[in-house]
Amino acid sequence: MEKNVGGFDRIWRLVGGAMLVVIGAAALVGAVAIGPVLAAVMVVVGAVFFATGVLQRCVINRLLDLDTYRGDRTETTRTDEGSMERPS
């Protein structure tokens, strides 16, 4: 699977995912009162967001045909016949 997560999308996944994991873990140990089920969901969702940010691959982006990665992809460019060099 090709990379499809980059730019701002990757940054918010890394930061937001880490924040969800920290808040969820704090709730699980009792530092924040949001309930154990919601805390566990926050940890899992945060871990998935963080992992997709690190790996730069997201299955949901692939299924929705979204691509925010602007890496070292080689793109084929089409040249016009008039701009091609002609041998002498």
Side-chain angles (χ1 to χ4, degrees):
M1 186 162 116
E2 291 185 15
K3 293 181 179 181
N4 60 5
V5 176
F8 183 73
D9 186 21
R10 182 178 186 210
I11 292 169
W12 85 260
R13 287 172 188 257
L14 291 170
V15 174
M19 287 175 51
L20 283 174
V21 169
V22 169
I23 294 169
L28 286 175
V29 296
V32 179
I34 60 172
V37 174
L38 182 58
V41 169
M42 288 175 71
V43 169
V44 170
V45 169
V48 169
F49 279 154
F50 190 79
T52 57
V54 170
L55 298 175
Q56 295 181 316
R57 291 169 174 86
C58 179
V59 174
I60 295 174
N61 276 12
R62 188 172 133 217
L63 293 174
L64 296 175
D65 200 27
L66 296 174
D67 188 359
T68 59
Y69 180 75
R70 308 278 188 254
D72 298 332
R73 293 188 182 162
T74 57
E75 295 184 24
T76 57
T77 58
R78 198 178 88 168
T79 59
D80 294 330
E81 288 181 23
S83 66
M84 293 177 58
E85 289 187 34
R86 300 186 188 257
S88 52

